Amino acid sequence: MARDDGYLLDNRQAEAGTRFDALAALFDASTFRHFETLGVAEGWRCWEVGAGGPGVAAWLRERVGPRGRVLATDIDVSWTEAAATDGVEVLRHDVGRDEPPAGPFDLVHARLVLVHVAERDAALHTMIQALRPDGRLLVEDADPALQPLICPDEYGPEQELANRLRTGFRELLRQRGADFSYGRRLPRLLREAGLADVEADAYFPVTSPACDVLEAATVRQVRDKLVAEGLATDEEIERHLANVEAGRLDLATSPMISAWGRRPADDGPRP
């Protein structure tokens, strides 16, 4: 099928806010743990790329204090605008196509962004370019190819249906240029870009109430496209949503791979 460059999970849809809340419940603790490891401190200048909801920007604002600065950007800031306060600037920005915002930054962070960006190489370069010497980059992205099933324990027809709908969802993402094995490449890409002290780990929720909320909101957000592409019927979608609501499914997420590194202090200007 022809590739569709539009973003599948549009921030302007009503389900976007529910998805952001569920993603925060699933992944904020892991993200904040990495911020602690990287030493985010008072006075730091931080760029939150593809911010989506306001939660991560708000945590950074609390940590950097009145002498710090937090910039939260997204291609659609409908939900991010709630983060705009003293010390947090919200800006519409396409990290794959636009010039870096005014920096430099002590920390640049992106979560579940680059896997969806067609110009992901350019986006990664932009984020590294925005770092000050000795600044830290933290990129967190899913790797659906490592674990493609939303129900790893496929023991019955309800789980089989869930996995079949997840295959359809992944096909919609594939049509839009998503890279399902991007997460695992992050450590190598950061090293090849010249970052030092590169490390990575992964976080993988297997079942959680937030996984149920995320799945229901995601399916509702893309149901028309699933049906239009012949990837599911309305009856299958309604049956799956009822199964999710009943709490009979152990729904997982793709592994979230977090990779971080430091721009060397003696690194010269980048083109």
Side-chain angles (χ1 to χ4, degrees), residues 47 49 95 108 110 114 122-131 137 139:
W47 177 18
V49 181
V95 69
V108 177
L114 298 188
L124 185 60
H125 175 81
T126 294
M127 291 191 291
I128 293 173
Q129 185 181 10
L131 288 170
L137 175 69
V139 181

Side-chain angles (χ1 to χ4, degrees), residues 223-224 227 232-239:
R223 68 177 300 161
D224 290 346
V227 173
T233 66
D234 276 316
E235 186 277 331
E236 288 172 328
I237 291 172
E238 285 301 321
R239 183 154 36 102

